[in-house]
């Protein structure tokens, strides 16, 4: 696997691919007016009222829930969601 800085750089460089991965692998995705920001229901706090509190920032490669405060790298989020391996395979296949 690539190093953390290199992985984060790849996430930023291949934002379109990451965005498509998120849309394909996470239910109830809401694309914001700024396409580099995606909101989803938070899997950490369990807010199931469909208020989309967790913001994924493709520009930085990080996420933050504005309800429970959970934050971190996209790799941490994808690990929690059980899609980390698929994401690593995608990133590894990109030039």
């Amino acid at each position: 696997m690539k190093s953390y800085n290199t992985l984060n750089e790849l996430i930023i460089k291949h934002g379109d691919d990451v965005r498509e991965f998120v849309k394909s692998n996470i239910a109830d995705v809401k694309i914001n007016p700024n396409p580099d920001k995606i909101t989803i229901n938070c899997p950490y706090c369990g807010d199931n009222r469909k208020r989309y509190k967790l913001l994924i920032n493709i520009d930085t490669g990080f996420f933050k829930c504005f309800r429970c405060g959970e934050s971190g790298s996209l790799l941490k989020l994808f690990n929690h969601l059980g899609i980390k391996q698929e994401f690593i395979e995608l990133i590894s296949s990109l030039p």
Side-chain angles (χ1 to χ4, degrees):
M1 188 169 100
K2 297 169 175 59
S3 72
Y4 181 77
N5 286 338
T6 302
L7 180 62
N8 221 29
E9 290 167 4
L10 282 171
I11 289 170
I12 294 166
K13 179 179 176 184
H14 298 286
D16 291 337
D17 296 305
V18 175
R19 190 176 306 101
E20 287 304 314
F21 178 83
V22 169
K23 288 179 3 185
S24 298
N25 290 282
I26 300 176
D28 294 324
V29 171
K30 180 179 175 188
I31 305 297
N32 293 331
N34 177 348
D36 291 325
K37 294 183 173 42
I38 300 170
T39 51
I40 65 171
N41 293 319
C42 181
Y44 292 97
C45 66
D47 184 5
N48 58 5
R49 295 176 289 171
K50 306 247 185 255
R51 293 196 178 169
Y52 302 102
K53 297 292 184 187
L54 188 139
L55 178 72
I56 297 172
N57 190 330
I58 303 296
D59 278 341
T60 63
F62 289 93
F63 74 92
K64 178 174 176 70
C65 176
F66 291 96
R67 181 171 185 261
C68 69
E70 188 69 41
S71 63
S73 70
L74 290 184
L75 202 55
K76 175 184 173 183
L77 174 63
F78 295 155
N79 186 49
H80 184 79
L81 293 170
I83 56 174
K84 176 182 171 183
Q85 189 58 41
E86 293 90 340
F87 181 68
I88 290 172
E89 289 169 9
L90 168 71
I91 291 295
S92 296
S93 71
L94 296 173

